[in-house]
Amino acid sequence: MGITRKTIKKMAEAIREFLLDIIYPPHCPGCDRLLSSGELVCASCDTAIKRIAEPVCKRCGKPLQNERVEYCPDCAKKRHCYKQGKAVFVYEGRIRQSLYRFKYGNKREYATFYAREAAALYGDWIKRRQIEAIVPIPMYPPKKRRRGYNQAECFARSLGRELGIPVEERLVSRTRNTVPQKELKEKERKRNLKNAFQFMPNIVKYKRVLLVDDIYTTGSTMDAVSEVLLSAGIDEAYYICISIGAGY
């Protein structure tokens, strides 16, 4: 029985990661200290980092204090374009600093840890929803060139490798620059993203896609991209983000 292409691909990826660990020793995504080969996070950070656990909002995935409540205050009062979302970590402490380095400090290596945690938590959830493609939230091209990478794409590629799902980085494009969402109020965020995204026609027609990004706040970006995808004929858009704030 011969070796399949899939097996060869996995072997090549394992060799690649081994060589990268030697040339570029991995750092802990929580504290950025040097790790031993094969480690993804140090023991201290593994304990300190808070992963999302029930109860959570049934729509956006924000952690809740009251298990009798189905939705967070945001989702209880507004309709989202996406079907449902999940988050991996609570946006606090070491993860907050980790994401800052990941986004602005060229710590793209952290994506492997984020993706493996996401796959462990939500691999079954993704499988049940029959996700056909992973779509990273796009960055405005000139901004991406200045930074050198799009952190959402890094996360998407790592997650795609973990789950064996294709990543479509060009399915949606960002057609204009926008003010950072964190600087705006909720209504301003919607206006800020109006007509900011465009669907790129593709030969393969997807019905269910998974959007990915680093941080979820009010959901305005996820809604804007989901609306574009639904208008283009995609049936359902879900999402996973690396981190999210508490609901209440």
Side-chain angles (χ1 to χ4, degrees), residues 116-186:
R116 289 189 183 175
E117 291 288 322
L121 283 174
Y122 304 119
D124 290 341
W125 175 79
I126 293 170
K127 186 176 181 179
R128 289 196 301 271
R129 274 137 194 86
Q130 300 179 311
I131 297 299
E132 300 166 289
I134 296 173
V135 180
I137 297 297
M139 183 181 289
Y140 188 54
K143 186 176 180 180
K144 180 181 175 181
R145 286 194 293 270
R146 288 195 298 270
R147 184 175 297 175
Y149 63 100
N150 176 0
Q151 69 279 358
E153 289 179 3
C154 296
F155 177 47
R157 287 192 290 268
S158 291
L159 187 59
R161 284 194 295 269
E162 290 292 323
L163 300 173
I165 298 175
V167 177
E168 291 286 354
E169 298 177 4
R170 296 181 177 85
L171 196 62
V172 180
S173 65
R174 198 162 196 143
T175 56
R176 64 181 179 84
N177 200 11
T178 53
V179 177
Q181 290 288 87
K182 62 184 179 181
E183 299 176 8
L184 303 174
K185 295 180 180 180
E186 184 177 342

